[in-house]
């Protein structure tokens, strides 16, 4: 049942040209779209919706969404500047999403995978009870099917409005992934802009293979907090994919247009006894 | 004697304590009637302190959890652990002094102990980075926990941090990765784990050492996803709203025990642990021994399934008819309001 009116918001207006957030240049919208929402001039990766990822990273019509009906509860009766229930309603209405992750099964170059795709538009892609539960179930589906688990992270971290329950989702997801891996399962984690806080510090950084999109913000603590702590400006490229690759935390930084191929190749090399 | 630190709401307690100090001096001077007055004052102190603590709001408990004289991990270790030997370093990068690790016995039971230590005076606080753990600290704790697993020792983890280290180096050395690894490893560690939030338990910094079979929280400790100040800054855009954020996030020991995030509230001496370290330590000992003996009776495989089951179940969501009806009722409630999502 769809009760949330509006479809995806197009953040970039409706004109022929759009402005690139990376090089500040004016580029043809069509050229950006043809390159999976990346800038034809500088390669900047725009944030995209989970539906775009389904379209671009999986075989056509292969994605079957599961657990789409899960809905956030309000376990604390949380109210800050506005009530959590109101915030949920607003973001559902603005995005057409029920929460910040879509999960399901799909095929990548013919091979079945269980996939979780986060969407930053919904309360900053934050992880509360729904995100934690759907990811755990998705990992369990992968274990059941004997297929790889692939996640596309895009998150501001744990969802404050669910308090300590949100923190516990870090354990729920990390434990699910660890058990799956201990049983021989392959987990490929894709970090997209941004992958932060409680999502980075749980399932996202536990991939057997970790791939990031170029220029993605990947961090535990916020730059504002760090700047306050160190009292001077942060180094160029700090907390970006390329820096993390250099420091040894990522297996590869791969442009969006090559992501599907790279995942498929990694999967074909890592066909283990569990496959 | 140096002036004791006290929050405004603690002043009535402090006044009685001062009176008692004066009377003690008179006792020492040999005045017989002073002893009787002292006993009466002790009763009055306990009643006053209990009354004050019982009526504290969430943020006042946060203040008690941060009290500069509150016992810290090493205070508890020195009072209840025998034959303690400290184990240093992560064998990879450094020895993070925000984490104290070691081996010892508590009332005859062997333990591997990991704890977050904030530091007492300025010098120690700087050395220990105020209990804010760097990646090497999580890796050091994990190294000692794996040692415990190998030798069949239970783990006692003492939690006291306002969050993981948030600086350049922590990020560059993979803070998020270290916490994730620790959480994942603890979730399958083949040893009983007892975690106790002794003061502050904030964010992944606390959770990275707090995945456990039994979780105790001191009466005035708090545990949450972010500091009340951090939550207020993000959701209220006003750090002064920290008390409201503390209340909204449900962070007190009693609330978390009700939510199943903690198993037990560990009682503190009247007025809070900082008034009587010895009594707080005995309270901790009692909880740890009881938890130890209960966990020791459970076969390890069962313990691990129970641990997995606990975390698998934690968290709230709606499904099926309940989800549809909540979505509809939100739509009815907010749908007609004039301000929209635009």
């Amino acid at each position: 049942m769809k009760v949330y009116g509006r479809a995806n918001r197009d953040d970039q207006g409706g004109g022929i040209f759009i402005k690139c957030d990376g090089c500040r240049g004016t580029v043809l919208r069509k050229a950006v779209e043809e390159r999976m929402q990346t800038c034809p001039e500088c390669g900047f990766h725009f944030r995209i919706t989970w539906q775009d990822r389904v379209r671009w990273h999986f075989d056509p019509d292969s994605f079957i969404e599961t657990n789409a009906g899960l809905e956030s509860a309000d376990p604390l009766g949380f109210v800050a500047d506005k009530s959590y229930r109101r915030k949920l309603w607003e973001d559902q209405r603005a995005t057409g999403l029920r929460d910040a992750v879509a999960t399901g099964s799909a095929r990548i170059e013919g091979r079945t995978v269980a996939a979780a795709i986060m969407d930053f538009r919904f309360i900053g892609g934050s992880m509360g009870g729904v995100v934690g539960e759907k990811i755990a179930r998705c990992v369990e589906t992968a274990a059941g099917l004997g297929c790889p688990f692939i996640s596309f992270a895009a998150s501001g971290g744990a969802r404050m409005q669910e308090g300590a329950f949100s923190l516990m989702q870090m354990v729920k997801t990390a434990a699910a992934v660890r058990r799956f891996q201990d049983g021989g399962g392959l987990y490929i984690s894709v970090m997209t802009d941004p992958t932060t806080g409680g999502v980075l510090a749980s399932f996202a950084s536990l991939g057997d293979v970790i791939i990031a999109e170029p220029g993605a913000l990947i961090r535990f603590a916020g730059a504002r907090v760090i700047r306050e702590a160190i009292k001077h400006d942060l180094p160029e490229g700090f907390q970006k994919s390329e820096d993390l690759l250099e420091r040894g935390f990522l297996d590869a930084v791969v442009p969006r247009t090559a992501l599907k191929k790279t995942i498929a190749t990694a999967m074909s090399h890592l066909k283990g006894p569990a496959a | 004697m140096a002036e004791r630190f006290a929050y405004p709401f603690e002043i009535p307690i402090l006044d009685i304590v001062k009176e008692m100090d004066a009377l003690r001096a008179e006792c020492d001077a040999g005045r017989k009637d002073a002893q009787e007055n002292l006993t009466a004052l002790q009763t009055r102190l306990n009643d006053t302190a209990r009354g004050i603590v019982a009526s504290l709001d969430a943020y006042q408990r946060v203040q008690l959890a941060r009290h500069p004289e509150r016992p810290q991990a090493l205070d508890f270790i020195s009072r209840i652990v025998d034959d303690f030997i400290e184990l240093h370093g992560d064998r990879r990068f450094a020895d993070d002094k925000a984490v104290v690790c070691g081996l010892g016995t508590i009332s005859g039971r062997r333990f591997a102990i990991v704890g977050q230590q904030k530091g007492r005076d300025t010098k120690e606080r700087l050395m220990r980075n105020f209990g804010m753990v760097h990646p090497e600290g999580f890796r050091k704790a994990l190294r000692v926990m794996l040692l415990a697993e190998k030798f069949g020792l239970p783990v006692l983890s003492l939690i006291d941090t306002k969050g993981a280290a948030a600086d350049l180096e922590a990020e560059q050395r993979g803070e998020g990765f270290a916490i994730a690894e620790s959480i994942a490893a603890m979730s399958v560690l083949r040893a009983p784990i007892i975690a106790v939030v002794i003061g502050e338990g904030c964010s992944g910094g606390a959770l990275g050492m707090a995945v456990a079979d039994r979780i105790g929280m001191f009466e005035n400790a708090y545990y949450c996803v972010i500091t009340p100040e951090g939550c207020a800054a993000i959701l209220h855009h006003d750090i002064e709203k920290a008390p409201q954020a503390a209340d909204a996030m449900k962070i007190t020991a009693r609330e978390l025990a009700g939510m199943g995030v903690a198993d037990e509230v560990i009682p503190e001496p009247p007025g809070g642990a900082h008034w009587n370290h010895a009594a707080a330590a005995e309270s901790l000992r009692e909880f740890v021994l009881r938890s130890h003996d209960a966990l020791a009776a459970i076969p390890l495989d069962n313990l691990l399934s129970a641990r997995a089951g606990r975390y698998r179940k934690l968290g709230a969501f709606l499904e099926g008819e309940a989800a549809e009806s909540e979505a509809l009722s939100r739509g009815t409630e907010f749908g007609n309001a004039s301000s929209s999502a635009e």
Side-chain angles (χ1 to χ4, degrees), chain A residues 12 18-25 27 39 42 44-47:
Chain A
Q12 299 164 51
I18 55 172
K19 193 173 177 196
C20 173
D21 294 332
C23 61
R24 304 271 156 208
V27 287
C39 175
C42 71
F44 177 81
H45 282 52
F46 290 87
R47 286 178 184 170

Tab-separated table of all heavy atoms in Angstrom, chain A residues 12 18-25 27 39 42 44-47:
chain	number	residue	atom	x	y	z
A	12	GLN	N	18.326	18.212	-8.533
A	12	GLN	CA	19.068	19.098	-9.428
A	12	GLN	C	18.171	19.883	-10.381
A	12	GLN	O	18.622	20.357	-11.416
A	12	GLN	CB	20.076	18.267	-10.225
A	12	GLN	CG	21.087	17.585	-9.311
A	12	GLN	CD	21.829	16.476	-10.012
A	12	GLN	OE1	22.354	16.688	-11.088
A	12	GLN	NE2	21.846	15.307	-9.413
A	18	ILE	N	23.295	21.086	-15.497
A	18	ILE	CA	23.355	21.104	-14.031
A	18	ILE	C	24.772	21.505	-13.604
A	18	ILE	O	25.716	21.400	-14.372
A	18	ILE	CB	22.974	19.752	-13.394
A	18	ILE	CG1	23.834	18.624	-13.964
A	18	ILE	CG2	21.507	19.474	-13.575
A	18	ILE	CD1	23.615	17.332	-13.230
A	19	LYS	N	24.834	21.944	-12.369
A	19	LYS	CA	26.125	22.357	-11.849
A	19	LYS	C	26.760	21.175	-11.113
A	19	LYS	O	26.094	20.499	-10.330
A	19	LYS	CB	25.934	23.526	-10.886
A	19	LYS	CG	27.238	24.209	-10.556
A	19	LYS	CD	27.010	25.476	-9.742
A	19	LYS	CE	28.359	26.075	-9.381
A	19	LYS	NZ	28.278	27.045	-8.310
A	20	CYS	N	28.040	20.932	-11.401
A	20	CYS	CA	28.733	19.836	-10.736
A	20	CYS	C	29.214	20.293	-9.362
A	20	CYS	O	29.844	21.340	-9.238
A	20	CYS	CB	29.925	19.366	-11.571
A	20	CYS	SG	30.941	18.157	-10.692
A	21	ASP	N	28.925	19.491	-8.336
A	21	ASP	CA	29.360	19.826	-6.978
A	21	ASP	C	30.862	19.616	-6.807
A	21	ASP	O	31.454	20.052	-5.841
A	21	ASP	CB	28.614	18.982	-5.946
A	21	ASP	CG	27.129	19.313	-5.917
A	21	ASP	OD1	26.778	20.462	-6.250
A	21	ASP	OD2	26.326	18.427	-5.589
A	22	GLY	N	31.466	18.895	-7.754
A	22	GLY	CA	32.900	18.624	-7.658
A	22	GLY	C	33.717	19.735	-8.292
A	22	GLY	O	34.437	20.467	-7.611
A	23	CYS	N	33.580	19.934	-9.616
A	23	CYS	CA	34.423	20.913	-10.326
A	23	CYS	C	33.748	22.266	-10.471
A	23	CYS	O	34.332	23.207	-10.989
A	23	CYS	CB	34.837	20.367	-11.691
A	23	CYS	SG	33.425	20.026	-12.793
A	24	ARG	N	32.478	22.362	-10.000
A	24	ARG	CA	31.724	23.613	-10.080
A	24	ARG	C	31.405	24.006	-11.514
A	24	ARG	O	30.959	25.112	-11.772
A	24	ARG	CB	32.462	24.775	-9.388
A	24	ARG	CG	32.805	24.508	-7.954
A	24	ARG	CD	31.653	24.954	-7.039
A	24	ARG	NE	31.732	24.213	-5.789
A	24	ARG	CZ	30.698	23.919	-5.013
A	24	ARG	NH1	29.494	24.293	-5.360
A	24	ARG	NH2	30.836	23.251	-3.905
A	25	GLY	N	31.725	23.130	-12.443
A	25	GLY	CA	31.456	23.414	-13.838
A	25	GLY	C	29.990	23.183	-14.168
A	25	GLY	O	29.251	22.548	-13.411
A	27	VAL	N	27.550	21.326	-16.564
A	27	VAL	CA	27.634	20.156	-17.451
A	27	VAL	C	26.251	19.751	-17.932
A	27	VAL	O	25.246	20.057	-17.286
A	27	VAL	CB	28.336	18.962	-16.740
A	27	VAL	CG1	29.830	19.231	-16.620
A	27	VAL	CG2	27.732	18.696	-15.390
A	39	CYS	N	30.151	13.144	-13.025
A	39	CYS	CA	30.464	14.296	-13.865
A	39	CYS	C	31.369	13.887	-15.028
A	39	CYS	O	32.408	13.272	-14.812
A	39	CYS	CB	31.141	15.380	-13.027
A	39	CYS	SG	31.699	16.799	-13.993
A	42	CYS	N	34.921	15.981	-14.364
A	42	CYS	CA	35.853	15.715	-13.259
A	42	CYS	C	35.636	14.353	-12.609
A	42	CYS	O	36.405	13.954	-11.735
A	42	CYS	CB	35.741	16.809	-12.192
A	42	CYS	SG	34.202	16.747	-11.256
A	44	PHE	N	33.255	13.541	-10.633
A	44	PHE	CA	32.551	13.648	-9.349
A	44	PHE	C	31.335	12.719	-9.319
A	44	PHE	O	30.583	12.635	-10.283
A	44	PHE	CB	32.100	15.092	-9.119
A	44	PHE	CG	31.304	15.284	-7.863
A	44	PHE	CD1	31.929	15.411	-6.634
A	44	PHE	CD2	29.904	15.316	-7.906
A	44	PHE	CE1	31.198	15.575	-5.479
A	44	PHE	CE2	29.162	15.478	-6.743
A	44	PHE	CZ	29.806	15.614	-5.528
A	45	HIS	N	31.172	12.019	-8.205
A	45	HIS	CA	30.033	11.118	-8.039
A	45	HIS	C	28.916	11.793	-7.255
A	45	HIS	O	29.085	12.105	-6.083
A	45	HIS	CB	30.463	9.838	-7.302
A	45	HIS	CG	31.183	8.866	-8.184
A	45	HIS	ND1	32.272	9.223	-8.952
A	45	HIS	CD2	30.968	7.543	-8.428
A	45	HIS	CE1	32.691	8.152	-9.629
A	45	HIS	NE2	31.926	7.128	-9.327
A	46	PHE	N	27.796	12.039	-7.931
A	46	PHE	CA	26.621	12.553	-7.231
A	46	PHE	C	26.030	11.437	-6.383
A	46	PHE	O	26.172	10.255	-6.704
A	46	PHE	CB	25.562	13.027	-8.237
A	46	PHE	CG	25.954	14.266	-8.989
A	46	PHE	CD1	26.702	14.183	-10.163
A	46	PHE	CD2	25.593	15.520	-8.514
A	46	PHE	CE1	27.066	15.333	-10.853
A	46	PHE	CE2	25.954	16.669	-9.201
A	46	PHE	CZ	26.704	16.583	-10.377
A	47	ARG	N	25.365	11.833	-5.295
A	47	ARG	CA	24.649	10.826	-4.498
A	47	ARG	C	23.455	10.334	-5.314
A	47	ARG	O	22.806	11.134	-5.988
A	47	ARG	CB	24.161	11.434	-3.188
A	47	ARG	CG	25.293	11.648	-2.209
A	47	ARG	CD	24.811	12.287	-0.927
A	47	ARG	NE	25.957	12.552	-0.056
A	47	ARG	CZ	25.906	13.277	1.053
A	47	ARG	NH1	24.772	13.807	1.442
A	47	ARG	NH2	26.979	13.465	1.780
